[in-house]
Amino acid sequence: MTTKLKALCEGSAVPLLLIVVWEAVARAGWISPIVMPAPSAVVVKWWEALMPAAAYDPTSQSRLAWALSGEMVHDAFASLYRVVVGFLVGAGLALPIGLLMGANKRTYALLNPLVQVLRPIPPIAFIPLSILWFGLGNPPSVFLIALGAFFPVLMNTIAGVRQVDGIYLRAAYNLGVNQWTLFTRVILPAATPYILAGVRIGIGTAFIVVIVSEMIAVNNGLGFRILEAREFMWSDKIIAGMLAIGLLGLAIDTGVSRLNNHLLRWHRGLEH
Amino acid sequence: MAQIVASNVQKVFKTADREVVALKDIDLEIARGEFVCLLGPSGCGKSTLLNAVAGFSLPTGGVITVDGKPVQGPGPDRGMVFQEYALFPWMTVAENIAFGLQVQKKQKAEIAATVSQLLEMLNLKDFRDRFPKDLSGGMRQRVAIARVLALDSPIMLMDEPFGALDALTRRNLQDELLRLWERLGKTILFVTHSIEESIYLADRIVVMTYRPGTIKRDQRVDIPRPRDPSGHAFNELKRELGRLVMEEQQRHADDEMKLAAVD
């Protein structure tokens, strides 16, 4: 307990000091609040954006709907929705293609050159095309996110299938499996540690892409909100938005990591 | 009539720059219910012969038949226990044992009954919902044996199954294997490089030569079970087989020196 407490004190010493200095500098008026607002102002803005704007009115809405009616909550849901849909599309395509490419040499030979050409192009570079193809709103955003999630999941799935230890295949053949059972009950589970590592990278990429895509094509979401705040030079709101983006990213990564640990509870040497 | 018959079996491995004759002129007959050990130093082709019977790697010459039918690939009529256990780490103990039965599309109730019975038989009841990573080597090998027994195959093939275990666990599992063999009447073909293990277990010991792998001696073991490893007859045989195996081991060592010198 005491060592834990000590570690906590040590870990928070530098950030706390930084915040105190930052606050002092801002209050002393050495820096314009447009360039760097005080941390207290950021926290106030953050809280304002999180809380419902209007008073609770039981005739028009439920208490839950009211509690979630804050601007930041709406934006977070909008961003999360795009990440989830984009990721599901991207990973949903990458998984079967990766399984096929990993297991079948011919499919690999056919598709690999294309993959190698497209993979190094950052999803961000597809922004102009995505607007030409899909217009404005959610579709181009989902497309870019799907693209960002696709390649990490694909590459890891291929590697995962290829590294399956031959001893499992021999044991399975010895037990009399057919190809389908071998694939679903042996190769797929044996490849899951790799696939899930790809999923985690893919979700991370999806989250980067969602913020960028919201700055170009839509009018809600956490990425849109900080760009909007810039137009009014609301620096405190920009930083509050960044804080929200960081917290959402942390929440997503923690969730994925929990899911990984559950799915890989059979696996030796769990990591976070 | 013999259950497993190898006639004139050859196996040649080709690499880019040389050919290795792993098996040559192997003629071997194993009767139903017999416990046979293949004994020899590493490189003598004993595992190659076992893999050929299992159907993982077919011979390049000659033929192996099981119950009169030529072996063409692996199958659940010849259950294999590997030295590396080869349990599926993503399945629990019970799921590992049930897997072969699910593959055969057995009824759920029948699978559950067989699994419970095997967990009981191999003292694994308290481990049924554990994953392999939580088990000791000895426990894992019990699960691997149970998984093969679940198939109810008449033949068990064992590739140095106890090689990675400590001496006490090893003796314990040898006794358990003998108990199961006497109770279930399986035919067992067991690969080992341990002379003592082969004498402790087998009805017959087939000593193999180092490259090319041929049969050097087909030795019947008439010592009544349970066999006492410190007994006179046991040690007599141990000395005799030790001499045969060490001749081959020496050839193996010489060969390695030669190869090392070439490199």
Side-chain angles (χ1 to χ4, degrees), chain B residues 188-208:
Chain B
I188 297 182
L189 185 56
F190 188 108
V191 163
T192 181
H193 59 253
S194 160
I195 298 158
E196 181 169 315
E197 181 167 66
S198 67
I199 303 173
Y200 192 72
L201 293 174
D203 291 327
R204 245 170 87 202
I205 299 169
V206 176
V207 183
M208 296 186 63

Side-chain angles (χ1 to χ4, degrees), chain A residues 167-168 170-178 181 185-186 189-190 265-268, chain B residues 51 56 75-76 78-80 84 86-90 99 102-103 131 133 140 151:
Chain A
I167 190 91
Y168 299 136
R170 295 208 300 160
Y173 279 126
N174 186 244
L175 297 171
V177 295
N178 57 29
T181 313
R185 302 274 324 260
V186 179
R265 62 198 182 284
W266 53 270
H267 201 245
R268 236 185 265 256
Chain B
N51 279 324
F56 289 127
R78 286 151 286 136
M80 179 97 156
E84 315 88 318
L87 297 175
F88 300 120
W90 52 88
F99 183 62
Q102 290 163 355
V103 166
F131 287 102
K133 71 167 167 118
R140 285 181 206 182
L151 302 171

Side-chain angles (χ1 to χ4, degrees), chain A residues 62-119:
Chain A
S62 73
R63 188 164 275 279
L64 183 70
W66 172 77
L68 296 178
S69 69
E71 183 186 61
M72 186 180 289
V73 180
H74 271 213
D75 285 334
F77 272 117
S79 297
L80 193 62
Y81 170 78
R82 292 183 190 113
V83 168
V84 169
V85 173
F87 178 80
L88 287 180
V89 171
L93 287 170
L95 188 68
I97 297 175
L99 289 173
L100 217 68
M101 283 178 73
N104 185 300
K105 283 206 175 81
R106 263 197 76 196
T107 316
Y108 184 81
L110 280 173
L111 295 181
N112 190 47
L114 183 66
V115 167
Q116 295 307 334
V117 167
L118 292 179
R119 192 166 68 101

Side-chain angles (χ1 to χ4, degrees), chain B residues 18 29 58:
Chain B
R18 62 195 189 118
E29 295 197 351
L58 299 177

Side-chain angles (χ1 to χ4, degrees), chain A residues 2-271:
Chain A
T2 44
T3 50
K4 237 181 171 180
L5 201 69
K6 212 177 139 204
L8 192 72
C9 287
E10 256 178 35
S12 51
V14 173
L16 276 177
L17 187 71
L18 204 71
I19 289 173
V20 167
V21 171
W22 176 9
E23 181 78 38
V25 167
R27 292 215 171 181
W30 293 350
I31 304 179
S32 150
I34 290 173
V35 176
M36 204 62 174
S40 54
V42 170
V43 171
V44 167
K45 264 285 175 271
W46 187 82
W47 184 253
E48 271 176 26
L50 185 67
M51 287 294 115
Y56 175 51
D57 170 17
T59 53
S60 70
Q61 60 193 156
S62 73
R63 188 164 275 279
L64 183 70
W66 172 77
L68 296 178
S69 69
E71 183 186 61
M72 186 180 289
V73 180
H74 271 213
D75 285 334
F77 272 117
S79 297
L80 193 62
Y81 170 78
R82 292 183 190 113
V83 168
V84 169
V85 173
F87 178 80
L88 287 180
V89 171
L93 287 170
L95 188 68
I97 297 175
L99 289 173
L100 217 68
M101 283 178 73
N104 185 300
K105 283 206 175 81
R106 263 197 76 196
T107 316
Y108 184 81
L110 280 173
L111 295 181
N112 190 47
L114 183 66
V115 167
Q116 295 307 334
V117 167
L118 292 179
R119 192 166 68 101
I121 305 175
I124 312 297
F126 280 89
I127 286 176
L129 260 191
S130 72
I131 293 173
L132 281 180
W133 287 353
F134 298 105
L136 295 178
N138 272 341
S141 181
V142 166
F143 168 75
L144 293 171
I145 294 161
L147 205 63
F150 180 81
F151 286 106
V153 176
L154 180 78
M155 300 320 286
N156 272 46
T157 304
I158 296 172
V161 171
R162 294 198 155 179
Q163 61 78 44
V164 174
D165 194 336
I167 190 91
Y168 299 136
L169 305 183
R170 295 208 300 160
Y173 279 126
N174 186 244
L175 297 171
V177 295
N178 57 29
Q179 287 297 321
W180 176 249
T181 313
L182 182 76
F183 209 73
T184 54
R185 302 274 324 260
V186 179
I187 293 178
L188 187 60
T192 40
Y194 274 70
I195 296 174
L196 289 178
V199 162
R200 206 164 163 197
I201 302 169
I203 283 268
T205 315
F207 193 63
I208 295 171
V209 176
V210 75
I211 300 301
V212 177
S213 72
E214 284 171 351
M215 292 184 174
I216 46 136
V218 291
N219 56 9
N220 60 6
L222 295 169
F224 165 77
R225 203 58 67 193
I226 61 174
L227 202 70
E228 183 198 48
R230 186 199 61 87
E231 310 220 338
F232 301 97
M233 291 198 267
W234 290 336
S235 314
D236 44 2
K237 198 171 175 186
I238 294 178
I239 299 179
M242 289 167 63
L243 197 64
I245 290 169
L247 287 173
L248 184 62
L250 184 67
I252 291 174
D253 193 59
T254 308
V256 173
S257 165
R258 289 262 170 88
L259 182 71
N260 275 13
N261 284 352
H262 175 73
L263 290 175
L264 295 181
R265 62 198 182 284
W266 53 270
H267 201 245
R268 236 185 265 256
L270 282 185
E271 337 155 77

